[in-house]
Amino acid sequence: AGPQPPIDRNSYARENGWAIASLAALYDVTGDPALLEAARRAFDWTLANRRAPNGGFSHLKATDDDTHLGDTLAMAEAALALYRSTAERRYLALAVELGKIIVRDHHDPAGGFMVRQPEPGARGVLAKPVKQIDENVAVTRLLNLLARQTGSPSFRAGAQHGMRWLISLAEDGLVVPGALLADRELSREPAHVTVVGAKDDPDAQALYRAARTYPTRYLRIEWLDRREGPLPAADVDYPDMPQAAAYACANGACSVPVFAPAEVHRIVAKVDDR
């Protein structure tokens, strides 16, 4: 047998983002705190060591000349996954920040989102922005979910910009299965569940644990602890209840409150337009 190929021991922002989102999703289902701790630790390391001065994420080193759409996108997805897992608003705030940076730095006026801006003075083929189809599918879906979470028209416009480019590929005869997912999500509200109660209330914690296991990634999940102020989109008024409650909402209307974790999936499924 020949020599073993070398192991790539570099730590990349994109691959860390993928791993963080995966660990968070597994935590949602299993509730194993070691998985969440690993995701948090990797997120904090990547934030400290791979974020460039321009606010985007670099692949290998924290410099502006190494930022790529794939890295910033993966960390934005990781932040949104950790928001689902924890309901800690700092993660949503960072996902929003990164969404704005993606629109600022990677938007191609000709359509879609580019890997990076062409170098100044580039000529010929090097002057043409490179666009990855799978990244455009993911950006479109990310910006749409951020729009649903925050009510931001600019994120909605960004998602539509990405969708138009994906449609143009389909019109040219290119089969893009991921575009069907993006189109489906843009055309309907996500499953939406809100827990209302204090974050140190065991009953509210149990309701949130049930909510985050709802079996879809297209989920708007929120935890309203009134001590933290209104929710980011604040498009629904929830009544004050003497005990922690969960609501499922769609089109500005909500279900009756439920107080038992076993009831949460049932009320969400009733309003979830799948």
Side-chain angles (χ1 to χ4, degrees):
Q4 291 292 315
I7 296 171
D8 183 349
R9 299 188 184 278
N10 292 308
S11 297
Y12 302 112
R14 183 183 64 174
E15 282 76 0
N16 268 277
W18 290 346
I20 293 160
S22 300
L23 288 167
L26 192 55
Y27 165 75
D28 289 346
V29 175
T30 66
D32 180 352
L35 297 169
L36 179 60
E37 177 56 29
R40 287 185 188 273
R41 201 165 55 242
F43 188 88
D44 291 344
W45 183 91
T46 310
L47 192 61
N49 291 281
R50 292 292 179 267
R51 197 167 191 198
N54 69 17
F57 276 86
S58 298
H59 196 53
L60 183 58
K61 56 188 189 297
T63 57
D64 288 350
D65 65 356
D66 191 40
T67 56
H68 295 82
L69 174 58
D71 297 286
T72 305
L73 165 65
M75 286 300 291
E77 291 176 324
L80 209 48
L82 283 169
Y83 178 61
R84 171 180 174 144
S85 294
T86 66
E88 292 176 19
R89 296 192 191 185
R90 67 187 178 106
Y91 289 123
L92 179 61
L94 191 56
V96 166
E97 205 178 307
L98 296 177
K100 290 176 179 176
I101 287 165
I102 287 169
V103 172
R104 181 194 75 192
D105 292 349
H106 299 281
H107 180 282
D108 183 358
F113 294 86
M114 53 188 147
V115 170
R116 55 182 300 133
Q117 299 276 354
E119 293 294 327
R123 304 176 67 173
V125 71
L126 297 178
K128 186 177 180 182
V130 174
K131 288 178 280 199
Q132 302 281 359
I133 294 173
D134 58 344
E135 288 181 356
N136 273 268
V137 169
V139 168
T140 299
R141 297 176 70 191
L142 172 82
L143 295 178
N144 175 61
L145 192 52
L146 285 174
R148 307 290 190 176
Q149 291 274 18
T150 64
S152 163
S154 62
F155 284 144
R156 177 72 178 166
Q160 290 170 336
H161 177 77
M163 193 68 234
R164 281 192 294 271
W165 186 69
L166 295 171
I167 290 169
S168 74
L169 298 181
E171 288 173 341
D172 287 342
L174 190 63
V175 177
V176 187
L180 297 174
L181 284 172
D183 178 64
R184 183 174 177 81
E185 291 175 358
L186 260 68
S187 67
R188 53 179 49 77
E189 289 190 43
H192 181 193
V193 57
T194 303
V195 171
V196 181
K199 288 190 172 175
D200 53 3
D201 176 356
D203 290 338
Q205 293 169 0
L207 288 169
Y208 196 82
R209 278 196 299 273
R212 70 168 180 252
T213 65
Y214 189 74
T216 179
R217 298 315 296 167
Y218 189 45
L219 179 67
R220 177 181 169 193
I221 177 172
E222 299 176 303
W223 189 341
L224 175 57
D225 182 335
R226 296 190 194 277
R227 298 172 297 186
E228 296 180 340
L231 290 168
D235 53 345
V236 179
D237 288 325
Y238 298 99
D240 278 317
M241 302 291 288
Q243 65 191 109
Y247 299 83
C249 303
N251 302 309
C254 292
S255 68
V256 298
V258 297
F259 310 101
E263 292 289 292
V264 172
H265 282 216
R266 180 183 63 79
I267 61 167
V268 179
K270 280 184 73 172
V271 302
D272 184 11
D273 176 22
R274 287 192 288 173

